[in-house]
Every structure is written in C-alpha cells, then in structure tokens.
C-alpha cells in the first residue's frame, strides 16, 4: 500500500498537507487527546477558551508558560524534516498545521500556515497587534502591552474564529490540490477536520498517516497506520532520521 501511495505523491502536481499534534509526538510534545494527552490532565474550558482567560489570565499564562518550557526542549523529528523536503519537490505546496510549537518552521518548512496560532507569539487584547513573546519573568505575568491592555498568547482557543488569511489559504489549497496528506490529527476539531474531506470531494487523493483510526479513516483513499516519524520518510523517500 505504501508503494502505491508513494507513487501518488511523486506524481502529484499540487500537494496540501494537514498536520496535528501527532506529528510532534515523537519530538516529545504532548498531544491533546488519547493516552497522556493534555485534555486527559487539564480541562480545556479552564485553559483554552476566551472565558477562561477572562476569569483567570494568570492561570492561563502559567499553563502556556509550562508548555513553552516543554516545547523549548523539543526538536523537529524525521516527520517534520520529511515534510520540509517534500515542499521543495512539489510545484504547488502548502503545509497547513494545527500545531503551535513552531517545529515545522524549525525543520525548514516555509510554505506554511498555522491555523491555531503560535505559542512563541503574543497578541494585545485591545489592539490585536501580534508580536514575539516578551522576555518576562513569571512574577510579571500576565504581561501587558505598551497600551496598558493585557497580552494573551497568540493562540486560537475554542469558540474563537481562525485567522482569516490562514484559513483562506488552507481552503484554497484543499480545493485545488490533487494530493492531500493528513498526518497525526484526531480530525475532531473544526474547521481543520473538514479540509481533507473537502479535498476528497474535489477529487484529490487523500492519504492519512496515524497509528490509530480516526473518524475520517474510512473516508480517505489510503490510511497508513503507524508513526509519522517512521511512515513519512518511507512514503516521501527521505532517509530516516535525516535533518
Ligand atoms: C500520531 C503519533 C505519531 C500520536 N505519528 N500520529 C460546540 C461548542 C463550541 C464550539 C464548537 C462546538 N462544536 C464544534 C465547535 C467548534 C470547535 C470544535 O471543533 N470542537 C470540537 C472539539 C467538537 N472548534 C472551534 O471552536 C474552532 N473555532 C471555530 O470553529 O470557530 C467558529 C465557531 C465558533 C463557535 C462555535 C462554532 C463555530 C477553534 C478550535 C481551536 C482549537 N484549539 C486547540 C487548543 C489551542 C492550541 C493550544 O493551546 O495548543 O488546538 S484544541 C487542540 O485540538 C489544539 C489542536 O490544534 C486541536 C487539534 O488536535 P490534534 O492536533 O488533532 O491533536 P489530538 O491530540 O486530538 O490528536 C493527535 C493524533 O495524533 C491522534 O489521532 C493520535 O493517534 C495521533 N498520533 N502519535 C502520527 N507518532
């Protein structure tokens, strides 16, 4: 099955890829659902909603600070590197990620959209200006913008709309690609989860890479069961473990 899928990838003219937390799991970044997932230990309602931030901004900042420390120790794995290499092989290419960890960029991906934001950026709650995370000690959190309003992580929380330009590019890529690769996502969170199905409806080949079945596994063309760090180098023809 992987040989046939690899042939489809080589022959594709326009490729779109959707990644989720599973692509960074082998780097040591926790996923959200499933064993050891963040939502097994924490309630999303308390930490990843606008209401949670309004109620207790310090708690939300502390949680993101804790996650930042974990992510800072993680490095791109063979899956990130394989996808960065794929970008330079395809005429049209877009990597759409739900991840906020920046590991795709660290691996060299450039034709990239981040649907759910980036943990290394902050946004002013009044002016909506986005900037790099200020270097503040923990006692100064939640930090404030120069205008006096609170800064928040530049992350898309539940119930919030996704950044319009990123979403627009993602939908366009799903609409026009002939190959859609969906890697390491439980495909439960909208609107990201609808992108592979949209590509499928438009006639694209959809290949899923995940150790476990997802709600879209039976709908995609090819479901490759296994870890992204093992399957992607084999599928995309990059040496395993190569940066
Ligand atoms: C491996 C692997 C390995 C393991 N190799 N694979 C009812 C009320 C309110 C809202 C809604 C509602 N019903 C629907 C909604 C909309 C909501 C939604 O979809 N909710 C569902 C959960 C039901 N969506 C939203 O609110 C979005 N906004 C929106 O829709 O706006 C319009 C609207 C507003 C209000 C109402 C209705 C519409 C925003 C979504 C924001 C998501 N934010 C989060 C957290 C913030 C980021 C952060 O702090 O880090 O984003 S939630 C979390 O889930 C995170 C992820 O990006 C996202 C997706 O998770 P992902 O990446 O799929 O990870 P997991 O853990 O679920 O799966 C990992 C997978 O990897 C598994 O399948 C493993 O098997 C696999 N795996 N190891 C490959 N080695």
């Amino acid at each position: 099955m992987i040989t046939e899928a690899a042939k489809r990838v080589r022959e594709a003219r326009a490729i779109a890829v959707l990644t989720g937390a599973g692509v960074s799991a082998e780097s040591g970044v926790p996923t959200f659902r499933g064993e050891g997932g963040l939502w097994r230990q924490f309630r999303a309602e308390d930490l990843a909603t606008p209401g949670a931030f309004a109620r207790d901004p310090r708690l939300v900042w502390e949680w993101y600070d804790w996650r930042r420390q974990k992510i800072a120790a993680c490095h791109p794995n063979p899956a990130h590197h394989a996808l960065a290499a794929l970008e330079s092989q395809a005429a049209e290419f877009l990597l759409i990620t739900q991840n906020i960890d920046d590991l795709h960029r660290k691996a060299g991906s450039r034709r990239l959209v981040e649907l759910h934001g980036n943990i290394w950026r902050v946004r002013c709650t009044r002016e909506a200006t986005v900037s790099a995370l200020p270097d503040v000690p923990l006692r100064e959190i939640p930090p404030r913008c120069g205008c006096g309003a609170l800064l928040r992580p530049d992350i898309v929380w539940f119930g919030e709309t996704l950044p319009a330009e990123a979403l627009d590019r993602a939908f366009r890529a799903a609409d026009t690609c002939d190959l859609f690769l969906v890697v390491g996502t439980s495909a439960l969170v909208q609107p990201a989860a609808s992108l592979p199905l949209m590509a499928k409806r438009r006639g694209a080949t959809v290949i899923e890479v995940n150790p476990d079945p997802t709600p879209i596994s039976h709908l995609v063309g090819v479901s490759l069961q296994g870890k992204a760090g093992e399957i992607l180098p084999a599928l995309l023809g990059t040496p395993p473990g190569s940066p």
Side-chain angles (χ1 to χ4, degrees), residues 31-114:
T31 60
F32 292 91
R33 298 163 187 87
E35 213 178 309
L38 291 169
W39 297 154
R40 293 269 179 109
Q41 308 165 56
F42 304 99
R43 278 165 39 93
E45 298 86 334
D46 295 339
L47 298 160
T49 65
F53 187 72
R55 277 192 303 278
D56 195 343
R58 186 178 172 90
L59 176 73
V60 172
W61 263 99
E62 281 170 351
W63 188 64
Y64 277 98
D65 207 59
W66 170 75
R67 287 183 55 204
R68 245 181 247 113
Q69 285 171 31
K70 272 183 169 301
I71 290 170
C74 298
H75 302 285
N77 68 52
H80 298 104
H81 290 300
L83 291 172
L86 181 65
E87 172 176 333
S88 59
Q89 289 166 29
E92 272 181 52
F93 182 90
L94 189 66
L95 174 52
I96 305 154
T97 189
Q98 300 169 83
N99 299 345
I100 46 90
D101 56 28
D102 218 23
L103 291 184
H104 283 304
R105 196 172 282 109
K106 281 196 175 145
S109 288
R110 291 297 173 265
R111 285 187 266 172
L112 171 70
V113 295
E114 295 171 318

Side-chain angles (χ1 to χ4, degrees), residues 19-23 25-26 31-34 38-39 48 63-64 67 98-100 116 155-162 183-191 209-214 226-229:
T19 63
V23 84
E26 289 157 80
T31 60
F32 292 91
R33 298 163 187 87
L38 291 169
W39 297 154
W63 188 64
Y64 277 98
R67 287 183 55 204
Q98 300 169 83
N99 299 345
I100 46 90
H116 294 164
I155 301 272
V156 181
W157 289 322
F158 282 115
E160 294 188 310
T161 52
L162 279 65
V183 186
T185 177
S186 56
L188 290 168
V189 174
Q190 296 295 348
V209 178
N210 199 311
D212 295 322
T214 73
K227 293 182 173 180

